[in-house]
Amino acid sequence: MENSTQESHLRSENTVTYESPYPLYAMAISSTASRANQYQRIALGSFIEDYNNRIDIVSFDPETLSIKPHQNLSVEHPYPPTKLMFSPSSLHKSNDLLASSGDYLRLWEVRDSASVEPVLVLNNSKTSEFCAPLTSFDWNDIEPKRIGTCSIDTTCTIWDIEKGAVETQLIAHDKEVYDIAWGEARVFASVSADGSVRIFDLRDKEHSTIIYESPRPDTPLLRLAWNKQDLRYMATILMDSNKVVILDIRSPTVPVAELERHMASVNAIAWAPQSCRHICSAGDDSQALIWELPTMAGPNGIDPMSMCSAASEINQLQWSAALPDWIAIAFSNKMQLLKV
């Protein structure tokens, strides 16, 4: 990681691009390399405004810097997946599991390069003809049998995927819930159209702690990222805002930093998997910015330590512990890996 602010006009050894037949949104990087080889699996979800969408799984070879599609590892998905996630390495399964959210929470088994098979479709709707779309979910890497989903119906649902049953469901917010993130085995946080970040503990379901509220009333918070290297910190983004808000859960309500160097709305955020002080953000200005959080912010704010330009608005971003030297971004119909 370079320490000076500079624009990376990315050379070929620093960037690898995959072009999909359709626009991309959801994206996930496997937590383990494929057993048959040392390639890293990446799942890509289409964004077609129609019922018929797809999940494609491609493999990235860090040695040859090549991305290879697999015809057998492509499945139809109802509606665009709002999020994709591979099972945490703590699950210890022989094959990768992949989860997707959209109309329901779905689990798929990835059988090396042979096939992708549906395993579970989890629906908590009491009436079969209606389901409230799921906006996001998070897989608990300490208790990998738990997946938490969030929905436009104001609820968060905690699933036990071993039993295929609901562990608990909470009315989490006053409006649509847009994102959820686990901090510990029984502690999660969520953000909502009501403009708040709330922390929940499954041992005390009656209460939640509001740790931040939008400065402008009812400005929705869209994404939440909990710093896995230092659980005191989380980051969130506001709708139609160029700011990334950094929170310290020990001092609620007042952000510890606001990162304001994007020239348009921020769409995605990801903490570095190997460092507690670095975070990446990407947005409608076609920029992916890497920030180093100082121990104390100066009067003129914080500048990014490096920036990468894409060809169009960046919709999605992943920074995976399985590939810590690469950041994956999605824009238009392309997925690009950026060397950091």
Side-chain angles (χ1 to χ4, degrees), residues 93-107:
K93 290 274 187 196
S94 56
N95 287 329
D96 255 341
L97 285 182
L98 177 71
S100 66
S101 54
D103 51 353
Y104 306 125
L105 177 66
R106 297 168 189 271
L107 259 67

Side-chain angles (χ1 to χ4, degrees), residues 14 32 72 89 181 216 229 249:
N14 287 336
T32 53
N72 298 344
S89 51
R216 299 194 309 279
Q229 302 298 318
I249 62 175

Side-chain angles (χ1 to χ4, degrees), residues 75 106-109 111 116-121:
V75 288
R106 297 168 189 271
L107 259 67
W108 314 80
E109 185 178 24
R111 297 181 182 164
V116 180
E117 302 296 336
V119 178
L120 274 176
V121 178

Side-chain angles (χ1 to χ4, degrees), residues 178 192-193 214-223 236-245 259-260 262-268 282-285 313 315:
Y178 286 138
S192 161
S214 299
R216 299 194 309 279
D218 284 342
T219 301
L221 300 177
L222 299 182
R223 290 284 165 258
T236 187
I237 55 178
L238 294 82
M239 181 180 274
D240 299 328
S241 166
N242 72 329
K243 272 198 306 204
V244 179
V245 178
L259 312 177
E260 302 184 76
H262 278 282
M263 307 303 287
S265 301
V266 181
N267 295 325
D284 280 350
D285 57 359
E313 295 94 339
N315 300 314

Side-chain angles (χ1 to χ4, degrees), residues 170-191:
L170 308 166
I171 294 174
H173 289 265
D174 303 327
K175 292 186 176 177
E176 299 96 324
V177 191
Y178 286 138
D179 207 2
I180 182 172
W182 290 102
E184 299 170 28
R186 293 183 178 85
V187 178
F188 69 89
S190 56
V191 291

Side-chain angles (χ1 to χ4, degrees), residues 95-307:
N95 287 329
D96 255 341
L97 285 182
L98 177 71
S100 66
S101 54
D103 51 353
Y104 306 125
L105 177 66
R106 297 168 189 271
L107 259 67
W108 314 80
E109 185 178 24
V110 185
R111 297 181 182 164
D112 275 328
S113 296
S115 64
V116 180
E117 302 296 336
V119 178
L120 274 176
V121 178
L122 299 171
N123 171 24
N124 196 30
S125 170
K126 302 293 177 281
T127 57
S128 57
E129 68 274 11
F130 174 77
C131 65
L134 301 177
T135 48
S136 188
F137 69 92
D138 195 24
W139 206 318
N140 192 318
D141 54 3
I142 302 159
E143 283 272 10
K145 67 174 187 175
R146 275 197 187 113
I147 292 181
T149 63
C150 54
S151 168
I152 63 166
D153 68 2
T154 76
T155 65
C156 290
T157 304
I158 310 304
W159 289 93
D160 180 328
I161 60 167
E162 285 176 2
K163 295 177 180 166
V166 171
E167 186 178 331
T168 190
Q169 184 175 42
L170 308 166
I171 294 174
H173 289 265
D174 303 327
K175 292 186 176 177
E176 299 96 324
V177 191
Y178 286 138
D179 207 2
I180 182 172
W182 290 102
E184 299 170 28
R186 293 183 178 85
V187 178
F188 69 89
S190 56
V191 291
S192 161
D194 66 15
S196 68
V197 179
R198 302 187 187 194
I199 296 181
F200 297 85
D201 190 322
L202 296 179
R203 291 159 293 199
D204 180 10
K205 298 198 235 343
E206 301 305 309
H207 302 97
S208 66
T209 306
I210 296 178
I211 62 158
Y212 177 73
E213 291 184 286
S214 299
R216 299 194 309 279
D218 284 342
T219 301
L221 300 177
L222 299 182
R223 290 284 165 258
L224 180 68
W226 206 326
N227 187 337
K228 294 286 195 266
Q229 302 298 318
D230 188 339
L231 290 170
R232 295 173 298 180
Y233 296 103
M234 48 174 75
T236 187
I237 55 178
L238 294 82
M239 181 180 274
D240 299 328
S241 166
N242 72 329
K243 272 198 306 204
V244 179
V245 178
I246 308 294
L247 305 169
D248 182 336
I249 62 175
R250 298 166 302 176
S251 51
T253 69
V254 183
V256 288
E258 293 187 329
L259 312 177
E260 302 184 76
R261 296 295 186 260
H262 278 282
M263 307 303 287
S265 301
V266 181
N267 295 325
I269 43 176
W271 290 96
Q274 77 286 40
S275 152
C276 63
R277 306 208 58 77
H278 294 91
I279 189 168
C280 185
S281 57
D284 280 350
D285 57 359
S286 310
Q287 301 283 341
L289 305 181
I290 297 175
W291 312 78
E292 181 173 17
L293 301 182
T295 42
M296 227 169 73
N300 302 319
I302 300 166
D303 287 322
M305 56 182 283
S306 68
M307 54 178 73

